[in-house]
Amino acid sequence: MIKTIQTSGKRKTAIARAVLKQGNGIVRINSIPINLIQPKTSRLKLMEPLILSGDIANKVNIDVNVGGGGITSQAEASR
C-alpha cells in the first residue's frame, strides 16, 4: 500500500499544493528538480525544511505545484 500525503500552503496570492509519496528523496517544484531552482535565495528557502527533517526527506518524493504571486511568494508558499 502506497501512502500519500497532500497538503497546501499560501503566501499572499501564491498557492502551493504538495504531494508526498514514499520514494528516494526526489523533490520537484513545478516539475523542476529543486537543485535547479533559480534564484539561489529561493532554492535555499525551499531546502530549509528538508534540511531540518533530516533522514525523513530521503525516504519521500515531494512534488509541488505552485502558481500566482512572485518568485519569493511562491518559494515561501512552497516552503
Side-chain angles (χ1 to χ4, degrees):
M1 182 171 103
I2 297 175
K3 188 174 182 179
T4 62
I5 297 172
Q6 296 180 354
T7 187
S8 62
K10 285 184 69 174
R11 170 75 170 116
K12 293 186 176 181
T13 58
I15 300 173
R17 293 170 205 84
V19 178
L20 284 78
K21 298 178 186 175
Q22 290 179 341
N24 52 4
I26 297 171
V27 180
R28 291 184 297 237
I29 312 295
N30 290 340
S31 301
I32 300 171
I34 195 167
N35 49 351
L36 298 179
I37 298 292
Q38 292 294 331
K40 186 176 181 180
T41 55
S42 294
R43 183 178 345 127
L44 294 174
K45 282 184 185 186
L46 291 166
M47 292 183 74
E48 186 178 53
L50 300 173
I51 293 166
L52 292 174
S53 67
D55 270 358
I56 297 170
N58 295 328
K59 297 178 183 177
V60 295
N61 289 348
I62 304 171
D63 288 314
V64 181
N65 290 320
V66 62
I71 296 170
T72 303
S73 291
Q74 286 186 359
E76 291 181 9
S78 300
R79 182 176 168 215

